[in-house]
Amino acid sequence: MGSAALERRSDAVTPDPLMGAGVRPAEARARWARLPYLGRPAGITLLLLLLAFLSLYPMVMLLYGSLHSTPPGIAGTFNLDGYAGLLTVQNLQILANTIGISLIKTVLSMALAILLAWIVARTDTPARGTLEVLITLPFFIPPILTATAWAMLGNAQVGTINLAWRWITGTDSTLVDVYSYGGVIWHMMQYSTPFIFLFVVDAFRAMDPALEESSRMSGATRWQTFWRVTFALMLPVTTSAFILSFIRGMEGFESAVFFGTPVNIKVITTQIYDLITQQAQPDYQGATSFGFAAMALMFLLLVLQSRLLRRRSFTTVTGKGYSPNVIRLGGLRWVTFAICIAFFAATVALPIGQLLLSSFFQFFGFYQLDMLTLDHYRAVWANDEFWTALGNTMLLGVTGATATMVLGGIVAYVTTRTLWFGRRLINLLAWLPWMMPGMVLGIGFLWGFATLPHAIPIYGTLWALLLAYVALGTPVAVRVTSGAYQQIARDLEECSRVHGAGWWQTLGRVLVALAWPAFAVGWVLVFFGIMRELSASILLYSPGTQVLSVVMLKMWTSNRAEDVSVIGLLMVVMVLLFRWIQLRLIKTRISTL
Amino acid sequence: MPNVALQAVSRHFAELKAVDNIDLAVSDGEFVTLLGPSGCGKTTTLRMIAGLEQNDSGSIAIGGRLVSDAATGLFVPPEQRKLGMVFQSYAIWPHMTVFDNVAYPLSVRHVPKREIAQRVTAALRLVEMERYADRPAPALSGGQQQRVAIARALVFEPEVLLLDEPLSNLDARLRTVMGEEFRALQRRLGITTIYVTHDQEEAMALSDRVVVMQRGRIHQVGTPEQVYRRPASRDVAAFFGTPNLIEAIVTASRPISNGEAGNDEHVLAVQGTNWRGQCRAAAAFGEGDKVLVVIRPEDATLIADDAVLADGQLGWRGRIVDGVFRGPRRSLAVQTDVLRFRVECPAMREMPTGDTATIVVDSQNAWAIHA
């Protein structure tokens, strides 16, 4: 070094402790461009603190609460009573219920989802594009809606299905009773089937047809090819979907509280809920210990998942847009068409029909002409609590979804596009809420907010709900945006840098400009998530900050099913509207890209 | 003066030395190609010049201005290096029109709108794409995207043009056409150009000088003729085509001048299995040294089995075992005592397999390297 040809700048260069090497632009003209470099340590620290508050803090407070003998905010001693109380036969039964129910519903959903995905992606069934939209629709409808609807459809005495069955057969027998294990499982399946479907259908579609064709050319039958090539290649995707769906099933609250609690079928989430809200003396320590144990279980499952999937390659089934092999079914294609329509009918059309029906009659189950009424619409219209809840839900939905997407977008950028110091920790913190069921995160925040100094009044305000929603939504937001970033070739960014754009310019003019459809999709997903969130909300709301889902559950338990139907219909309209906008948005964007 | 100088530049990825202590000087207006198999460090070198990677050690200067120096921690970010670059994937931004893509380097530097319009039109005219200015970028063919990428790289009149395997995604015919266009454009504009490729024919056709890289190191730098006819090592020789490599032992060595100062060659007398003769080498060898004699298939001719060798010729007797007709020429394989010799000869000559013949090579075309 030190050749005459290379003139060294005389400025002293300050080493940057984070980068290991100082950074000094050559021209004063572009001094502002140093901002990302000099602001980086501060930005990363801020991001880490925020994420730690959203995920690590409730976890720590969960541990704290589980050892604390009295409810949050009251002086007490520390002991292990909470954990000691876990070791009972009844709790073993609850654990077995939780695992058993989730396992069965995941297996059934997986089989159904693979069938539906195969029909949509690989057969010449008519109107496959529309069918795909219809099959995935239940995923976007708040579970509390279908739960109320199915409670009215499948009630053993006055359920619409049983009334129709008796009318048709002329007997007194009962066809279905949703207040049972079967009812809980069936209600969960309505969500996990489209969830798994969304994973599997792309795997079916994105597979290089040459992989299957070469199997056929090697002498394998269609059936052998399906199992030994198609299914084997999809195994990583299906395993991943299976475990995720299983975890979600264990975290589920609505199905069990609606169909399990009345007949004493208990799962972990409903037990936690009961310990806090349904007892003369709320048992916070017991509930928190339960929550911490549940979280540990989720942690084990996630470790299992990452171990199972570590050595698997997904490369064969992602990426290029192949046109997949389509099987001609002949007359059978109307059977497959009917299967898809039946699924849509059972999960969307029937529940919405039931909500419509019960909203116009005095009492659900008694459908006579002289019982027709608009009273329920008037009652809801005049209900202040409803308006407060609607306002809160909308406010929290819009601000929560926006905040979550901004945070998720930044986290995804740092973790997928940079080599910055601390990015692994940022990624980890953003993913932590993934292993906390809403109910458990709710307790964590309950303890967390209650023990904050009084100068920070989060407890009992909308902020409490907002922070919980952001924490719960961040993994989804990170997932959606990092997926979008990964599809944008690094070249596009580097090319911008080489041709004179700074870091911020490149971010805005290339990355965000290209990824905004994903941001829009993610925003809608998070918004839906907030709108249907029940298990954390029910612990964190207080008078004045209730949200729609909480109000609906309260109305339901005080036997105002018909009013719930009215609110449910309003939510359905919103869901359909958002989903329609989302689909339009994606379609127009994809056609131009 | 937009020259480029790399001094002792290295780049490590964990244990892997992607680029290992290389020195390179590219002069103003020169077209230099970094050539090597994939993973040889050529792209990493280009990206360090661009500022997309930071070198772990050494320094890089562009136009006499130090842009990266590991010792002092100096690192100029890519946007301030005033470069143009064409990426292997072209990196055409799909959300912009052709015009917006080309205008980008100007608009991020806040050039006035009217001037942008002028310069973009001029740049598009240069690559004969002005008719496509309003097209959305994804609606272009590979060759058209290529041209847009070049227009974008040139519109700012960069100090140095960097090209990362720009032809590898095109079909064979278009590759030749675009290659010729590159060369013509570069000559016309006189812009310093660094080009990365793994295709030796491309490298020889386009460059003033070729830098042959392997495993993160530079093996040879020279004009296309030098690296092809006077390879510095077995690796370099083997990288260009499929030369015949014949083992031999040196019996004598003397220097000669080939007219160029400082570019002396040596004449060696060598002894092989059942053959002996003379060949050329870049350096002096001692008596008894083992060498490999490099003979290009196209430098060998076949004569009748009983013909007598002229002075200054090398010869091997053998039997023709294989012949492939390739249109303009014919590729033969001749089995000799020493090796299976590859010979390229005019296609018109009938060469039935099974015949015996003598392979003759002018000793000026026999080049010795270390075994």
Side-chain angles (χ1 to χ4, degrees), chain B residues 154-212:
Chain B
L154 292 175
V155 72
F156 181 64
E157 289 163 17
E159 295 192 334
V160 177
L161 181 62
L162 306 176
L163 302 150
D164 185 6
E165 306 221 12
L167 301 179
S168 62
N169 285 336
L170 299 177
D171 62 58
R173 197 186 53 79
L174 202 54
R175 202 179 303 167
T176 318
V177 175
M178 289 305 297
E180 284 163 5
E181 282 186 24
F182 264 155
R183 187 64 181 130
L185 203 61
Q186 192 269 341
R187 288 248 166 82
R188 193 140 50 93
L189 302 176
I191 187 168
T192 310
T193 303
I194 302 178
Y195 187 104
V196 161
T197 184
H198 64 268
D199 183 326
Q200 15 118 1
E201 288 187 24
E202 211 171 282
M204 287 190 287
L206 298 178
S207 334
D208 294 323
R209 278 195 303 156
V210 177
V211 178
V212 185

Side-chain angles (χ1 to χ4, degrees), chain A residues 1 3 5-8 13 22 24-26 30 37 491-492 494-502 505 509-510 513-514, chain B residues 7 47 52 59 61 64-65 69 72-73 78-80 83-85 87 89 91-95 104-105 107-109 152-153:
Chain A
M1 257 182 283
S3 144
L6 309 178
E7 55 164 7
R8 180 152 311 156
V13 173
R24 178 162 289 265
Y37 297 97
D491 283 1
L492 296 179
E494 290 176 343
C495 190
S496 164
R497 290 300 297 278
V498 172
H499 290 114
Q505 275 177 305
R509 295 183 65 157
V510 176
L514 276 168
Chain B
Q7 288 218 326
R47 290 168 60 84
L52 296 169
S59 66
R65 181 176 69 123
D69 186 356
T72 58
E79 67 269 20
Q80 291 168 21
L83 303 170
M85 183 161 174
F87 287 74
S89 64
I92 301 293
W93 298 299
H95 58 306
Y104 191 88
S107 71
V108 294
R109 292 181 170 98
R152 181 177 60 190

Side-chain angles (χ1 to χ4, degrees), chain B residues 37-119:
Chain B
S38 58
C40 73
K42 57 191 192 298
T43 296
T44 307
T45 306
L46 192 77
R47 290 168 60 84
M48 286 192 291
I49 298 170
L52 296 169
E53 304 269 357
Q54 200 166 346
N55 43 317
D56 296 325
S57 60
S59 66
I60 301 171
I62 298 172
R65 181 176 69 123
L66 203 56
V67 292
S68 178
D69 186 356
T72 58
L74 174 101
F75 181 75
V76 177
E79 67 269 20
Q80 291 168 21
R81 294 192 181 190
K82 294 183 188 156
L83 303 170
M85 183 161 174
V86 177
F87 287 74
Q88 186 174 6
S89 64
Y90 315 139
I92 301 293
W93 298 299
H95 58 306
M96 299 181 192
T97 62
V98 167
F99 184 93
D100 292 339
N101 262 284
V102 178
Y104 191 88
L106 301 174
S107 71
V108 294
R109 292 181 170 98
H110 308 292
V111 173
K113 278 231 160 58
R114 193 144 27 91
E115 196 188 333
I116 290 183
Q118 266 171 19
R119 289 171 71 174

Side-chain angles (χ1 to χ4, degrees), chain A residues 98 136 246 272 302 560 567:
Chain A
T98 311
T136 52
F246 180 59
I272 293 173
L302 284 168
R560 286 157 65 194
I567 301 176

